[in-house]
Amino acid sequence: MKPSLVTGTSAEITVTVVDELTVPAMIPWYPNFAGMPRVFATAFMVGFLESAAVEALHPHLDEGEGSVGIHVDVSHEAPSAVGSTITGRAEVTAVEGRIITFEVELADNAGIICTGTHQRAVINAEKFPARAQQRLDDAR
């Protein structure tokens, strides 16, 4: 990790809610979501806020490093309809070794839809997949 990663480092990204980002879009994997409202899904919201954190972190990683999410603590405070523009912001609040903590906030055209914290661990991008595979192999 480069020394340029400090508290206050931040990034902002945007996405427009399309049908593929709504709760019913999850039905192939989670059939019990049938009949749910056609709004921005919490699962996609979490992925989006992780993406904002990655955007803030990426320029400060060394060659061969990546990051993985290790903790999410957020509230989904309001629904966002198809067509809404979502803006995500992630700001570094702590750098503790390889663990980076972010304050995250998402807003749509009408205001805040999500607030909370997210943590990412900086990893060796080449070695990490082998660790995951070893874990699976050990479980067999």
Side-chain angles (χ1 to χ4, degrees), residues 63-114:
E63 180 83 23
E65 289 181 324
S67 70
V68 293
I70 60 169
H71 188 83
V72 177
D73 184 8
V74 296
S75 62
H76 195 163
E77 301 173 15
S80 297
V82 171
S84 298
T85 298
I86 309 291
T87 301
R89 179 173 167 75
E91 181 176 332
V92 175
T93 58
V95 178
E96 300 170 273
R98 300 182 79 68
I99 307 299
I100 315 304
T101 303
F102 297 86
E103 181 176 295
V104 293
E105 179 179 280
L106 304 183
D108 67 9
N109 309 71
I112 300 296
I113 65 164
C114 167

Side-chain angles (χ1 to χ4, degrees), residues 109-121:
N109 309 71
I112 300 296
I113 65 164
C114 167
T115 59
T117 59
H118 171 50
Q119 287 184 315
R120 300 193 69 75

Side-chain angles (χ1 to χ4, degrees), residues 14 53-54 86 118 134:
T14 61
V54 168
I86 309 291
H118 171 50
Q134 186 62 54

Side-chain angles (χ1 to χ4, degrees), residues 3-136:
S4 59
L5 182 63
V6 296
T7 59
T9 299
S10 66
E12 190 171 286
I13 60 174
T14 61
V15 69
T16 299
V17 178
V18 294
D19 278 320
E20 293 80 6
L21 296 177
T22 65
V23 180
M26 311 243 350
I27 291 171
W29 296 275
Y30 307 103
N32 57 339
F33 284 5
M36 294 278 219
R38 197 171 143 252
V39 295
F40 192 42
T42 303
F44 290 120
M45 178 193 77
V46 169
F48 184 61
L49 69 86
E50 282 197 81
S51 184
V54 168
E55 182 78 14
L57 181 56
H58 182 75
H60 305 281
L61 297 179
D62 289 322
E63 180 83 23
E65 289 181 324
S67 70
V68 293
I70 60 169
H71 188 83
V72 177
D73 184 8
V74 296
S75 62
H76 195 163
E77 301 173 15
S80 297
V82 171
S84 298
T85 298
I86 309 291
T87 301
R89 179 173 167 75
E91 181 176 332
V92 175
T93 58
V95 178
E96 300 170 273
R98 300 182 79 68
I99 307 299
I100 315 304
T101 303
F102 297 86
E103 181 176 295
V104 293
E105 179 179 280
L106 304 183
D108 67 9
N109 309 71
I112 300 296
I113 65 164
C114 167
T115 59
T117 59
H118 171 50
Q119 287 184 315
R120 300 193 69 75
V122 176
I123 59 157
N124 178 309
E126 187 176 307
K127 292 180 181 178
F128 191 80
R131 283 186 55 210
Q133 184 62 50
Q134 186 62 54
R135 183 173 157 76
L136 174 61

